[in-house]
Amino acid sequence: MTTRTEPGEDQSDPGLSAIMSERRRLINLGYRLLGSLADAEDVVQETYTRWYAMSAREQQAVESPGAWLVTVASRICLNVLGSARARRETYVGDWIPEPLPEPTEWITGRSGAGGADPADRVTLDESVTMAFLVVLDTMTPAERVAFVLHDVFRYPFGEVAEIIGRSPAACRQLASSARRRIRAARTPAGPGAGQADIVRQFRTAWEAKDIDALIGLLDPDAVATADGGGLAVTHLRPIVGGERIARAYAEIARLTGDRTTFLEHTVNGLPGLVARQDGKLATVFAFEVVGDRIRHIWAVRNPEKLRPWRID
């Protein structure tokens, strides 16, 4: 009796399927740790490169290949987070985590890709909302890794300690500090359906350049942040205050006129908007809605961060 081999499956390496099945978990981990799908994919690639650089005997000596991959990927992420802080000092304007579309809308952007590879998808939950990722980005690299590994992926502190290179007690303190940051920044959000309605009303008011309607939908202390990375025109500093945001966005609508259209899309698991200018993807908007008001708008225009959004 023979077993059918799927295209691309290597029967000479019976462990290949088990090793590659970890890819989705590594992508999920990398994205939460780095806030960038592109960086997460690079980390996963480097992790697998290190695995296959070992001899067969060394691989067989690894008791849990999955745990080995997570450990290596996490340590690479720690190094990336450390160097990222230096790179951010020269970044033009504000840095916003890379926005993700809903998995069913996600095409990886690799040459020849005709659809989403389930192994490459990031599972969407609260830990990948834009508001959550922005708070994660305020943490030290060690805090972020300890918190994500323990609180999101449920790794015991003993294993987290081995990955980070600190004692379990120190890792517990790091995660506790990170948790306090999350609690301090967290605000009660309305149900998803309610958020979708608020975002839809915002879109309608924006298209109509209705400043009063926009003000009514924005929290008085709302903040609008944009990320062009020096590659797209946008405001370099956050706009603070609902009325100021309303007037600024109405002016944007006036200047772009009929050249811009808005589409409703899921952004990091929550209702958001995508702007197309002259028929091409220009901006992805994520929102934090508290009650019936928009508390925060994140506008990502950096084209390097819009790679997964193949909706043209």
Side-chain angles (χ1 to χ4, degrees), residues 190-200 271:
Q195 292 191 47
D197 185 56
I198 297 298
V199 171
R200 185 172 298 116

Side-chain angles (χ1 to χ4, degrees), residues 44-161:
V44 173
Q45 181 65 35
E46 174 63 21
T47 300
Y48 279 119
T49 296
R50 295 187 186 186
W51 171 262
Y52 285 107
M54 295 193 300
S55 66
R57 177 174 296 180
E58 289 172 323
Q59 291 175 359
Q60 292 167 2
V62 176
E63 184 176 343
S64 174
W68 186 94
L69 292 169
V70 168
T71 296
V72 172
S74 298
R75 288 173 177 167
I76 295 173
C77 285
L78 261 176
N79 292 334
V80 172
L81 285 169
S83 61
R85 288 181 175 269
R87 294 199 308 271
R88 301 276 175 80
E89 293 178 1
T90 60
Y91 194 82
V92 179
D94 287 295
W95 187 94
I96 297 175
E98 183 178 311
L100 285 182
E102 193 172 5
T104 55
E105 301 165 355
W106 182 354
I107 298 178
T108 62
R110 292 176 301 191
S111 176
D117 182 348
D120 290 334
R121 294 176 182 167
V122 171
T123 304
L124 300 181
D125 57 31
E126 184 192 24
S127 67
V128 293
T129 65
M130 192 60 74
F132 197 94
L133 290 173
V134 167
V135 178
L136 287 180
D137 201 52
T138 67
M139 300 177 185
T140 67
E143 280 179 332
R144 187 166 185 168
V145 174
F147 174 80
V148 170
L149 284 173
H150 181 267
D151 285 45
V152 178
F153 287 86
R154 303 303 179 186
Y155 280 80
F157 281 119
E159 294 182 22
V160 175

Side-chain angles (χ1 to χ4, degrees), residues 26 48 62 66 81 90 144 161 219 226 266 287 293 300 311:
L26 297 177
Y48 279 119
V62 176
L81 285 169
T90 60
R144 187 166 185 168
D219 186 278
T266 298
F287 297 84
R293 297 286 185 95
V300 180
I311 61 174

Side-chain angles (χ1 to χ4, degrees), residues 10-72:
D10 184 0
Q11 286 186 308
S12 66
D13 184 0
L16 177 62
S17 178
I19 291 298
M20 294 310 294
S21 69
E22 296 291 330
R23 179 175 177 81
R24 180 171 182 174
R25 178 164 58 152
L26 297 177
I27 287 286
N28 272 279
L29 175 65
Y31 179 73
R32 287 164 174 81
L33 288 179
L34 302 177
S36 166
L37 178 61
D39 287 347
E41 290 174 336
D42 288 345
V43 165
V44 173
Q45 181 65 35
E46 174 63 21
T47 300
Y48 279 119
T49 296
R50 295 187 186 186
W51 171 262
Y52 285 107
M54 295 193 300
S55 66
R57 177 174 296 180
E58 289 172 323
Q59 291 175 359
Q60 292 167 2
V62 176
E63 184 176 343
S64 174
W68 186 94
L69 292 169
V70 168
T71 296
V72 172

